[in-house]
Coordinates of all heavy atoms in Angstrom, one line a residue:
M1 N 29.7 63.2 -4.9 CA 30.7 62.1 -5.2 C 31.3 62.3 -6.5 O 30.7 62.8 -7.5 CB 30.0 60.7 -5.2 CG 29.4 60.3 -3.9 SD 30.7 60.2 -2.6 CE 29.6 60.6 -1.2
P2 N 32.6 62.0 -6.7 CA 33.3 62.2 -7.9 C 32.7 61.3 -9.1 O 32.3 60.2 -8.8 CB 34.7 61.8 -7.6 CG 34.7 61.1 -6.4 CD 33.5 61.4 -5.6
V3 N 32.7 61.8 -10.3 CA 32.2 61.1 -11.4 C 33.4 60.9 -12.4 O 34.1 61.9 -12.7 CB 31.1 61.9 -12.1 CG1 30.6 61.2 -13.4 CG2 29.9 62.0 -11.2
C4 N 33.6 59.7 -12.8 CA 34.7 59.4 -13.8 C 34.4 60.2 -15.1 O 33.3 60.1 -15.7 CB 34.8 57.9 -14.0 SG 35.9 57.5 -15.3
K5 N 35.5 60.9 -15.6 CA 35.3 61.6 -16.8 C 35.3 60.7 -18.0 O 34.9 61.1 -19.1 CB 36.4 62.7 -16.9 CG 36.2 63.9 -16.1 CD 35.1 64.8 -16.8 CE 34.7 66.0 -16.0 NZ 34.5 65.9 -14.6
N6 N 35.8 59.5 -17.9 CA 35.9 58.6 -19.0 C 34.6 57.8 -19.2 O 34.0 57.8 -20.3 CB 37.1 57.7 -18.8 CG 37.4 56.8 -20.0 OD1 37.4 57.3 -21.1 ND2 37.5 55.5 -19.8
C7 N 34.1 57.1 -18.1 CA 32.9 56.3 -18.3 C 31.7 56.9 -17.7 O 30.6 56.3 -17.7 CB 33.2 54.9 -17.7 SG 33.5 54.9 -15.9
K8 N 31.8 58.1 -17.0 CA 30.7 58.8 -16.4 C 30.0 58.1 -15.3 O 28.9 58.3 -14.9 CB 29.6 59.1 -17.5 CG 30.1 59.8 -18.7 CD 30.4 61.3 -18.5 CE 30.8 62.0 -19.8 NZ 32.2 62.0 -20.1
E9 N 30.7 57.1 -14.7 CA 30.2 56.4 -13.5 C 30.5 57.2 -12.3 O 31.6 57.7 -12.1 CB 30.8 55.0 -13.4 CG 30.3 54.0 -14.4 CD 28.9 53.4 -14.0 OE1 28.4 53.7 -12.9 OE2 28.4 52.7 -14.9
E10 N 29.5 57.2 -11.3 CA 29.8 57.9 -10.1 C 30.4 56.9 -9.1 O 30.0 55.8 -8.9 CB 28.5 58.4 -9.5 CG 28.7 59.4 -8.4 CD 27.4 59.9 -7.8 OE1 26.8 59.3 -6.9 OE2 26.9 60.9 -8.3
W11 N 31.5 57.4 -8.5 CA 32.2 56.5 -7.5 C 31.5 56.5 -6.2 O 30.9 57.6 -5.8 CB 33.7 57.0 -7.3 CG 34.5 56.9 -8.6 CD1 34.1 56.5 -9.8 CD2 35.9 57.2 -8.7 NE1 35.2 56.5 -10.7 CE2 36.3 56.9 -10.0 CE3 36.9 57.6 -7.8 CZ2 37.6 57.1 -10.4 CZ3 38.2 57.8 -8.2 CH2 38.5 57.6 -9.5
T12 N 31.6 55.4 -5.5 CA 30.9 55.4 -4.2 C 31.9 56.1 -3.2 O 33.1 56.2 -3.4 CB 30.6 54.0 -3.7 OG1 31.9 53.3 -3.5 CG2 29.8 53.3 -4.7
W13 N 31.3 56.4 -2.0 CA 32.1 57.1 -1.0 C 33.3 56.2 -0.5 O 34.4 56.6 -0.4 CB 31.2 57.4 0.2 CG 31.9 58.1 1.3 CD1 32.0 59.5 1.4 CD2 32.5 57.6 2.5 NE1 32.7 59.8 2.6 CE2 33.0 58.7 3.2 CE3 32.7 56.3 2.9 CZ2 33.7 58.5 4.4 CZ3 33.4 56.1 4.1 CH2 33.9 57.2 4.8
G14 N 33.0 54.9 -0.3 CA 34.0 53.9 0.1 C 35.1 53.7 -0.8 O 36.3 53.7 -0.4
E15 N 34.8 53.6 -2.1 CA 35.8 53.4 -3.2 C 36.7 54.7 -3.2 O 37.9 54.6 -3.3 CB 35.2 53.3 -4.5 CG 34.8 51.9 -4.8 CD 33.7 51.8 -5.9 OE1 33.3 52.9 -6.4 OE2 33.2 50.7 -6.2
T16 N 36.1 55.8 -3.2 CA 36.8 57.1 -3.2 C 37.8 57.2 -2.1 O 39.0 57.6 -2.2 CB 35.9 58.3 -3.3 OG1 34.9 58.0 -4.2 CG2 36.6 59.5 -3.7
M17 N 37.3 56.9 -0.9 CA 38.2 56.9 0.3 C 39.3 56.0 0.2 O 40.5 56.4 0.5 CB 37.4 56.6 1.6 CG 36.4 57.6 2.1 SD 37.2 59.2 2.4 CE 38.0 58.9 4.0
K18 N 39.0 54.8 -0.2 CA 40.1 53.7 -0.3 C 41.1 54.2 -1.3 O 42.3 54.1 -1.1 CB 39.4 52.4 -0.8 CG 40.1 51.2 -0.3 CD 39.2 50.0 -0.5 CE 38.8 49.8 -1.9 NZ 37.7 48.8 -2.1
K19 N 40.7 54.7 -2.5 CA 41.6 55.1 -3.6 C 42.4 56.4 -3.2 O 43.5 56.5 -3.6 CB 40.8 55.4 -4.9 CG 40.0 54.2 -5.4 CD 40.8 53.4 -6.4 CE 40.0 52.2 -6.8 NZ 40.8 51.4 -7.7
S20 N 41.7 57.3 -2.4 CA 42.4 58.5 -2.2 C 43.5 58.4 -1.1 O 44.4 59.2 -1.0 CB 41.4 59.6 -1.8 OG 40.7 59.2 -0.7
F21 N 43.6 57.2 -0.4 CA 44.6 57.0 0.5 C 45.9 56.4 -0.1 O 46.9 56.3 0.5 CB 44.2 56.1 1.7 CG 43.4 56.9 2.7 CD1 42.1 56.6 2.9 CD2 44.1 57.8 3.5 CE1 41.4 57.4 3.9 CE2 43.4 58.6 4.4 CZ 42.1 58.3 4.6
T22 N 45.8 56.0 -1.4 CA 47.0 55.6 -2.1 C 47.7 56.9 -2.6 O 47.0 57.8 -3.0 CB 46.7 54.7 -3.3 OG1 45.9 55.5 -4.2 CG2 45.9 53.5 -2.9
L23 N 49.0 56.9 -2.4 CA 49.7 58.2 -2.7 C 50.1 58.3 -4.2 O 50.8 59.3 -4.5 CB 50.9 58.2 -1.8 CG 50.6 58.4 -0.3 CD1 51.8 58.1 0.6 CD2 50.0 59.7 0.0
A24 N 49.6 57.5 -5.0 CA 49.9 57.6 -6.5 C 49.3 58.9 -7.0 O 48.3 59.4 -6.4 CB 49.3 56.4 -7.2
T25 N 49.8 59.5 -8.1 CA 49.3 60.7 -8.6 C 47.9 60.5 -9.2 O 47.0 61.4 -9.1 CB 50.2 61.3 -9.7 OG1 50.7 60.3 -10.5 CG2 51.3 62.1 -9.1
G26 N 47.7 59.4 -9.9 CA 46.4 59.2 -10.5 C 45.6 58.2 -9.7 O 46.2 57.4 -9.0
I27 N 44.3 58.2 -9.8 CA 43.5 57.2 -9.2 C 42.8 56.4 -10.3 O 42.2 56.9 -11.2 CB 42.4 57.9 -8.3 CG1 43.1 58.9 -7.4 CG2 41.6 56.9 -7.5 CD1 42.1 59.8 -6.6
T28 N 42.9 55.1 -10.2 CA 42.3 54.2 -11.2 C 40.8 54.1 -11.0 O 40.4 53.8 -9.9 CB 43.0 52.8 -11.2 OG1 44.4 53.0 -11.2 CG2 42.7 52.1 -12.5
C29 N 40.0 54.3 -12.0 CA 38.6 54.1 -11.9 C 38.2 52.7 -11.7 O 38.7 51.8 -12.4 CB 37.9 54.7 -13.2 SG 36.2 54.4 -13.2
P30 N 37.4 52.4 -10.7 CA 37.0 51.0 -10.4 C 36.1 50.4 -11.5 O 35.9 49.2 -11.6 CB 36.3 51.1 -9.1 CG 35.9 52.5 -8.9 CD 36.8 53.3 -9.7
Y31 N 35.5 51.2 -12.4 CA 34.6 50.8 -13.4 C 35.3 50.5 -14.7 O 35.1 49.5 -15.4 CB 33.4 51.7 -13.6 CG 32.7 51.9 -12.3 CD1 32.9 53.1 -11.5 CD2 31.8 51.0 -11.8 CE1 32.3 53.2 -10.3 CE2 31.1 51.2 -10.6 CZ 31.3 52.3 -9.9 OH 30.7 52.4 -8.7
C32 N 36.1 51.5 -15.2 CA 36.7 51.3 -16.5 C 38.2 51.2 -16.4 O 38.9 51.1 -17.5 CB 36.4 52.5 -17.4 SG 37.0 54.1 -16.7
D33 N 38.8 51.2 -15.2 CA 40.3 51.0 -15.1 C 41.1 52.0 -15.7 O 42.3 51.8 -15.9 CB 40.7 49.6 -15.6 CG 40.6 48.5 -14.5 OD1 40.6 48.9 -13.3 OD2 40.4 47.4 -14.8
R34 N 40.6 53.2 -16.0 CA 41.4 54.3 -16.5 C 41.8 55.2 -15.4 O 41.1 55.4 -14.5 CB 40.6 55.1 -17.6 CG 41.0 54.8 -19.0 CD 40.5 55.9 -19.9 NE 41.2 57.2 -19.7 CZ 41.3 58.1 -20.7 NH1 40.7 57.9 -21.9 NH2 41.9 59.2 -20.5
K35 N 43.0 55.8 -15.6 CA 43.5 56.7 -14.6 C 42.7 58.0 -14.6 O 42.5 58.6 -15.6 CB 45.0 56.9 -14.8 CG 45.8 56.0 -13.9 CD 47.2 56.5 -13.6 CE 47.8 55.7 -12.5 NZ 49.2 56.3 -12.2
Q36 N 42.3 58.4 -13.4 CA 41.7 59.7 -13.2 C 42.5 60.6 -12.3 O 43.2 60.1 -11.4 CB 40.3 59.5 -12.6 CG 39.3 58.8 -13.5 CD 38.9 59.7 -14.7 OE1 38.3 60.8 -14.5 NE2 39.3 59.3 -15.9
Y37 N 42.5 61.9 -12.6 CA 43.3 62.8 -11.8 C 42.4 63.8 -11.1 O 41.3 64.1 -11.7 CB 44.3 63.5 -12.7 CG 45.3 62.6 -13.3 CD1 45.0 62.1 -14.6 CD2 46.4 62.2 -12.7 CE1 45.9 61.2 -15.2 CE2 47.3 61.3 -13.3 CZ 47.0 60.8 -14.6 OH 47.9 59.9 -15.2
L38 N 42.8 64.3 -10.0 CA 42.0 65.4 -9.3 C 42.2 66.7 -10.1 O 43.3 67.0 -10.5 CB 42.5 65.6 -7.9 CG 42.2 64.4 -7.0 CD1 42.8 64.8 -5.6 CD2 40.8 64.1 -6.9
T39 N 41.1 67.4 -10.3 CA 41.3 68.7 -11.0 C 42.0 69.7 -10.0 O 42.1 69.5 -8.8 CB 39.9 69.3 -11.3 OG1 39.2 69.6 -10.1 CG2 39.1 68.4 -12.2
A40 N 42.6 70.7 -10.6 CA 43.4 71.7 -9.8 C 42.5 72.3 -8.8 O 42.9 72.5 -7.6 CB 44.0 72.7 -10.8
S41 N 41.3 72.7 -9.2 CA 40.4 73.4 -8.2 C 40.0 72.4 -7.1 O 39.9 72.9 -5.9 CB 39.2 73.9 -8.9 OG 38.3 72.9 -9.2
S42 N 39.8 71.2 -7.3 CA 39.4 70.3 -6.2 C 40.6 70.0 -5.3 O 40.4 69.8 -4.1 CB 38.7 69.0 -6.7 OG 39.7 68.1 -7.3
R43 N 41.8 70.0 -5.9 CA 43.0 69.8 -5.1 C 43.2 71.0 -4.1 O 43.6 70.9 -3.0 CB 44.2 69.6 -5.9 CG 44.5 68.1 -6.2 CD 45.8 68.0 -6.9 NE 45.7 68.5 -8.3 CZ 46.8 68.6 -9.1 NH1 48.0 68.4 -8.7 NH2 46.6 69.0 -10.4
K44 N 42.9 72.2 -4.7 CA 43.0 73.4 -3.8 C 42.0 73.3 -2.7 O 42.3 73.6 -1.5 CB 42.8 74.6 -4.7 CG 44.1 75.2 -5.2 CD 43.8 76.4 -6.0 CE 44.4 76.3 -7.5 NZ 43.9 77.3 -8.4
K45 N 40.7 73.0 -3.0 CA 39.7 72.9 -2.0 C 40.0 71.9 -0.9 O 39.8 72.1 0.2 CB 38.3 72.5 -2.7 CG 37.6 73.7 -3.2 CD 36.2 73.3 -3.7 CE 36.1 73.4 -5.2 NZ 34.9 72.8 -5.8
S46 N 40.6 70.7 -1.4 CA 40.9 69.7 -0.5 C 42.0 70.1 0.4 O 42.0 69.8 1.6 CB 41.2 68.4 -1.3 OG 42.2 67.6 -0.7
S47 N 43.0 70.8 -0.1 CA 44.1 71.2 0.8 C 43.6 72.3 1.8 O 44.1 72.3 2.9 CB 45.4 71.6 0.1 OG 45.0 72.4 -1.0
L48 N 42.7 73.1 1.4 CA 42.1 74.1 2.3 C 41.4 73.4 3.4 O 41.5 73.8 4.6 CB 41.1 75.0 1.5 CG 41.7 76.2 0.9 CD1 40.6 77.0 0.1 CD2 42.4 77.1 1.9
S49 N 40.6 72.4 3.1 CA 39.8 71.7 4.1 C 40.7 71.0 5.1 O 40.5 70.9 6.3 CB 38.8 70.8 3.5 OG 39.4 69.7 2.9
I50 N 41.8 70.4 4.6 CA 42.8 69.7 5.5 C 43.5 70.7 6.4 O 43.8 70.4 7.5 CB 43.7 68.8 4.6 CG1 43.0 67.6 4.1 CG2 45.0 68.4 5.4 CD1 43.7 66.7 3.1
F51 N 43.6 71.9 5.9 CA 44.2 73.0 6.7 C 43.4 73.3 8.0 O 43.9 73.8 8.9 CB 44.4 74.2 5.8 CG 45.1 75.4 6.5 CD1 46.4 75.3 6.8 CD2 44.3 76.5 6.9 CE1 47.0 76.4 7.4 CE2 44.9 77.5 7.5 CZ 46.3 77.5 7.8
L52 N 42.1 72.9 7.9 CA 41.3 73.1 9.1 C 41.8 72.4 10.3 O 41.6 72.8 11.5 CB 39.9 72.6 8.8 CG 38.9 73.6 8.1 CD1 37.6 72.8 7.8 CD2 38.6 74.8 9.0
I53 N 42.4 71.2 10.1 CA 42.8 70.4 11.2 C 43.9 71.1 12.1 O 43.7 71.3 13.3 CB 43.3 69.0 10.8 CG1 42.2 68.3 10.0 CG2 43.8 68.1 11.9 CD1 42.6 67.0 9.3
P54 N 45.1 71.5 11.5 CA 46.0 72.3 12.3 C 45.4 73.6 12.9 O 45.8 74.0 13.9 CB 47.2 72.6 11.3 CG 46.7 72.3 10.0 CD 45.6 71.3 10.1
L55 N 44.5 74.2 12.1 CA 43.9 75.4 12.6 C 43.1 75.2 13.9 O 43.2 76.0 14.8 CB 42.9 76.0 11.5 CG 42.4 77.4 11.7 CD1 43.5 78.4 11.5 CD2 41.2 77.6 10.8
V56 N 42.3 74.1 13.9 CA 41.5 73.8 15.1 C 42.5 73.5 16.3 O 42.3 73.9 17.4 CB 40.6 72.6 14.8 CG1 40.0 72.1 16.1 CG2 39.5 73.0 13.9
M57 N 43.6 72.8 15.9 CA 44.6 72.5 17.0 C 45.2 73.7 17.5 O 45.4 73.9 18.7 CB 45.7 71.6 16.4 CG 45.3 70.2 16.2 SD 46.7 69.2 15.5 CE 45.9 67.7 15.2
F58 N 45.5 74.7 16.6 CA 46.1 76.0 17.1 C 45.1 76.7 18.0 O 45.5 77.2 19.0 CB 46.4 76.8 15.8 CG 47.0 78.1 16.2 CD1 48.3 78.2 16.7 CD2 46.3 79.3 16.1 CE1 48.9 79.5 17.0 CE2 46.8 80.5 16.4 CZ 48.1 80.6 16.9
I59 N 43.8 76.8 17.6 CA 42.8 77.4 18.4 C 42.7 76.8 19.8 O 42.6 77.4 20.8 CB 41.5 77.5 17.7 CG1 41.6 78.4 16.4 CG2 40.3 77.9 18.6 CD1 40.4 78.2 15.5
S60 N 42.8 75.4 19.8 CA 42.7 74.7 21.0 C 43.8 75.1 22.0 O 43.7 75.1 23.2 CB 42.7 73.2 20.8 OG 43.9 72.8 20.4
L61 N 45.0 75.4 21.4 CA 46.2 75.8 22.3 C 45.9 77.1 23.0 O 46.3 77.2 24.2 CB 47.4 75.9 21.4 CG 48.1 74.7 20.9 CD1 49.3 75.0 20.0 CD2 48.5 73.7 22.0
L62 N 45.1 78.0 22.3 CA 44.8 79.2 23.0 C 43.9 79.1 24.2 O 43.9 79.9 25.1 CB 44.1 80.1 21.9 CG 44.9 80.5 20.7 CD1 44.0 81.3 19.7 CD2 46.1 81.2 21.0
F63 N 43.2 78.0 24.2 CA 42.2 77.8 25.3 C 42.8 76.8 26.4 O 42.1 76.6 27.3 CB 40.9 77.3 24.8 CG 40.1 78.3 24.0 CD1 40.2 78.3 22.6 CD2 39.4 79.3 24.6 CE1 39.5 79.3 21.9 CE2 38.7 80.2 23.9 CZ 38.8 80.2 22.5
D64 N 44.0 76.3 26.2 CA 44.6 75.5 27.1 C 43.7 74.4 27.6 O 43.4 74.2 28.8 CB 45.1 76.3 28.4 CG 45.9 75.4 29.3 OD1 46.6 74.4 28.8 OD2 45.8 75.6 30.5
N65 N 43.1 73.7 26.6 CA 42.1 72.7 26.9 C 42.8 71.3 26.8 O 43.1 70.8 25.7 CB 41.0 72.8 25.9 CG 39.7 72.2 26.5 OD1 39.8 71.2 27.2 ND2 38.6 72.8 26.1
S66 N 43.1 70.7 27.9 CA 43.8 69.4 27.9 C 42.9 68.2 28.3 O 43.4 67.2 28.6 CB 45.0 69.5 28.8 OG 44.7 69.9 30.0
S67 N 41.6 68.4 28.3 CA 40.8 67.3 28.7 C 40.7 66.2 27.7 O 40.9 66.5 26.5 CB 39.4 67.8 29.0 OG 38.7 67.9 27.9
P68 N 40.6 64.9 28.0 CA 40.5 63.9 27.0 C 39.4 64.1 26.0 O 39.5 63.7 24.9 CB 40.3 62.6 27.8 CG 40.4 63.0 29.2 CD 40.4 64.5 29.4
L69 N 38.3 64.7 26.5 CA 37.2 65.0 25.7 C 37.6 65.9 24.5 O 37.1 65.7 23.4 CB 36.1 65.6 26.5 CG 34.7 65.5 25.9 CD1 34.2 64.1 26.0 CD2 33.7 66.4 26.7
F70 N 38.5 66.8 24.8 CA 38.9 67.7 23.7 C 39.7 67.0 22.7 O 39.6 67.3 21.5 CB 39.7 68.9 24.3 CG 39.7 70.1 23.4 CD1 38.6 70.9 23.2 CD2 40.8 70.3 22.6 CE1 38.6 71.9 22.3 CE2 40.9 71.4 21.7 CZ 39.8 72.2 21.6
L71 N 40.5 66.1 23.1 CA 41.3 65.3 22.2 C 40.4 64.5 21.3 O 40.6 64.4 20.1 CB 42.2 64.3 23.0 CG 43.3 63.5 22.1 CD1 44.4 64.4 21.7 CD2 43.8 62.4 22.9
F72 N 39.4 64.0 21.9 CA 38.3 63.2 21.1 C 37.7 64.1 20.1 O 37.5 63.8 18.9 CB 37.3 62.7 22.1 CG 36.2 61.9 21.4 CD1 36.4 60.6 20.9 CD2 34.9 62.5 21.2 CE1 35.4 60.0 20.2 CE2 33.9 61.9 20.5 CZ 34.2 60.6 20.0
F73 N 37.4 65.4 20.5 CA 36.9 66.4 19.6 C 37.8 66.6 18.4 O 37.3 66.7 17.2 CB 36.6 67.7 20.4 CG 36.2 68.8 19.5 CD1 34.9 68.9 19.0 CD2 37.1 69.9 19.3 CE1 34.5 70.0 18.2 CE2 36.7 71.0 18.5 CZ 35.4 71.0 18.0
L74 N 39.1 66.8 18.6 CA 40.1 67.0 17.6 C 40.1 65.8 16.6 O 40.1 66.0 15.4 CB 41.5 67.1 18.2 CG 41.9 68.5 18.7 CD1 43.3 68.5 19.2 CD2 41.7 69.6 17.6
I75 N 40.1 64.6 17.1 CA 40.1 63.4 16.3 C 38.8 63.4 15.4 O 38.8 63.1 14.2 CB 40.2 62.1 17.1 CG1 41.6 62.1 17.8 CG2 40.0 60.9 16.3 CD1 41.8 61.0 18.8
A76 N 37.7 63.8 16.0 CA 36.4 63.8 15.3 C 36.4 64.8 14.2 O 36.0 64.5 13.1 CB 35.3 64.1 16.3
I77 N 37.0 66.0 14.4 CA 37.2 67.0 13.3 C 38.0 66.5 12.2 O 37.7 66.6 11.0 CB 37.8 68.3 13.9 CG1 36.9 69.0 14.9 CG2 38.2 69.3 12.8 CD1 35.9 69.9 14.3
A78 N 39.2 65.8 12.6 CA 40.1 65.2 11.6 C 39.3 64.2 10.7 O 39.4 64.2 9.5 CB 41.3 64.7 12.2
A79 N 38.6 63.3 11.4 CA 37.8 62.3 10.7 C 36.8 62.9 9.8 O 36.5 62.4 8.7 CB 37.2 61.3 11.7
L80 N 36.1 63.9 10.3 CA 35.1 64.6 9.5 C 35.6 65.2 8.2 O 35.1 65.0 7.2 CB 34.4 65.7 10.4 CG 33.2 66.4 9.7 CD1 32.0 65.5 9.7 CD2 32.9 67.7 10.4
V81 N 36.8 65.9 8.4 CA 37.4 66.5 7.2 C 37.8 65.5 6.2 O 37.6 65.6 5.0 CB 38.6 67.4 7.7 CG1 39.5 67.8 6.5 CG2 38.1 68.6 8.4
M82 N 38.4 64.3 6.7 CA 38.8 63.3 5.8 C 37.6 62.7 5.1 O 37.7 62.4 3.9 CB 39.6 62.2 6.6 CG 40.9 62.6 7.2 SD 42.0 63.4 6.0 CE 42.4 62.0 4.9
S83 N 36.5 62.5 5.8 CA 35.4 61.8 5.2 C 34.6 62.7 4.3 O 33.8 62.3 3.4 CB 34.4 61.3 6.3 OG 33.9 62.4 7.0
L84 N 34.9 64.0 4.3 CA 34.3 65.0 3.4 C 35.0 65.0 2.0 O 34.5 65.6 1.1 CB 34.3 66.4 4.0 CG 33.2 66.6 5.0 CD1 33.3 68.0 5.6 CD2 31.8 66.4 4.5
Q85 N 36.3 64.4 2.0 CA 37.1 64.5 0.8 C 36.4 64.1 -0.5 O 36.4 64.7 -1.5 CB 38.4 63.8 0.9 CG 39.3 64.4 2.0 CD 39.6 65.9 1.8 OE1 40.0 66.4 0.8 NE2 39.2 66.7 2.9
P86 N 35.7 62.9 -0.5 CA 35.0 62.5 -1.7 C 34.0 63.5 -2.2 O 33.7 63.5 -3.4 CB 34.3 61.1 -1.3 CG 35.1 60.7 -0.1 CD 35.5 61.9 0.6
F87 N 33.4 64.3 -1.3 CA 32.4 65.3 -1.8 C 33.1 66.5 -2.5 O 32.4 67.1 -3.3 CB 31.6 65.8 -0.6 CG 30.8 64.7 0.1 CD1 31.2 64.0 1.2 CD2 29.5 64.4 -0.4 CE1 30.5 63.0 1.8 CE2 28.8 63.4 0.2 CZ 29.3 62.7 1.3
I88 N 34.3 66.7 -2.2 CA 35.1 67.8 -2.8 C 35.7 67.4 -4.1 O 35.9 68.2 -5.0 CB 36.2 68.3 -1.8 CG1 35.5 68.8 -0.5 CG2 37.0 69.4 -2.4 CD1 36.6 69.0 0.6
M89 N 36.0 66.1 -4.2 CA 36.8 65.6 -5.4 C 36.1 65.8 -6.7 O 34.9 65.5 -6.8 CB 37.1 64.2 -5.2 CG 38.3 63.9 -4.3 SD 38.4 62.2 -3.9 CE 39.5 61.6 -5.1
E90 N 36.8 66.3 -7.7 CA 36.4 66.4 -9.1 C 37.4 65.7 -9.9 O 38.6 65.9 -9.7 CB 36.2 67.8 -9.5 CG 35.0 68.5 -9.0 CD 35.1 70.0 -9.1 OE1 35.3 70.4 -10.3 OE2 35.0 70.7 -8.1
L91 N 37.0 64.9 -10.9 CA 38.0 64.1 -11.7 C 38.2 64.7 -13.0 O 37.4 65.4 -13.6 CB 37.6 62.7 -11.7 CG 37.4 62.0 -10.4 CD1 36.7 60.7 -10.6 CD2 38.7 61.8 -9.7
S92 N 39.4 64.4 -13.6 CA 39.7 64.8 -14.9 C 40.5 63.7 -15.6 O 41.2 62.9 -14.9 CB 40.5 66.1 -14.8 OG 41.5 66.2 -15.8
N93 N 40.5 63.6 -16.9 CA 41.2 62.6 -17.6 C 42.7 62.9 -17.7 O 43.5 62.0 -17.9 CB 40.7 62.4 -19.1 CG 39.4 61.6 -19.1 OD1 39.2 60.8 -18.3 ND2 38.5 62.0 -20.0
E94 N 43.0 64.2 -17.6 CA 44.4 64.6 -17.6 C 44.9 65.2 -16.3 O 44.1 65.7 -15.5 CB 44.5 65.8 -18.7 CG 43.9 65.6 -20.0 CD 44.7 64.6 -20.8 OE1 45.9 64.7 -20.8 OE2 44.1 63.8 -21.6
E95 N 46.2 65.1 -16.1 CA 46.7 65.7 -14.9 C 46.8 67.2 -15.1 O 47.5 67.6 -16.0 CB 48.0 65.0 -14.5 CG 48.5 65.5 -13.1 CD 49.7 64.7 -12.6 OE1 50.3 63.9 -13.4 OE2 50.0 64.8 -11.4
E96 N 46.2 68.0 -14.3 CA 46.2 69.4 -14.4 C 47.3 70.0 -13.5 O 47.4 69.6 -12.4 CB 44.9 70.1 -14.0 CG 43.7 69.7 -14.9 CD 42.4 70.3 -14.4 OE1 42.4 71.2 -13.5 OE2 41.4 69.9 -14.9
P97 N 48.0 71.0 -14.1 CA 49.0 71.7 -13.2 C 48.2 72.5 -12.1 O 47.1 73.0 -12.4 CB 49.8 72.6 -14.1 CG 48.9 72.8 -15.3 CD 48.0 71.6 -15.4
L98 N 48.8 72.6 -11.0 CA 48.1 73.3 -9.9 C 47.9 74.8 -10.1 O 46.9 75.4 -9.7 CB 48.8 73.0 -8.5 CG 48.0 73.3 -7.2 CD1 46.7 72.7 -7.2 CD2 48.8 72.8 -6.0
W99 N 48.9 75.4 -10.7 CA 48.8 76.8 -10.9 C 48.7 77.2 -12.4 O 49.4 76.7 -13.2 CB 50.0 77.6 -10.3 CG 50.2 77.2 -8.9 CD1 51.2 76.4 -8.3 CD2 49.3 77.6 -7.8 NE1 51.0 76.3 -7.0 CE2 49.8 77.0 -6.6 CE3 48.1 78.3 -7.7 CZ2 49.2 77.1 -5.4 CZ3 47.5 78.4 -6.5 CH2 48.1 77.8 -5.3
Ligands
ZN101 ZN1 35.6 55.2 -15.3

């Protein structure tokens, strides 16, 4: 789970999920109210993991699998990738450039 670089408090999974769905650049710490930013490396890891979703969809096209069960499988993969985001996240006090 991500740890706030300012107050060293560990965020819970639920808080992190809730905060990461806001599209603001910074995420406000629920403990000290200071803005935290994702580190460049965790942003890269996170975009790589999200890339898994279209990849799985593309592979599924190769197998011409149109059963409702397969759609459920795709949704499960997407939900799994999303729920893993708090484990990948690392926080920083400053906004880091990606490159
Ligand atoms: Zn904090």
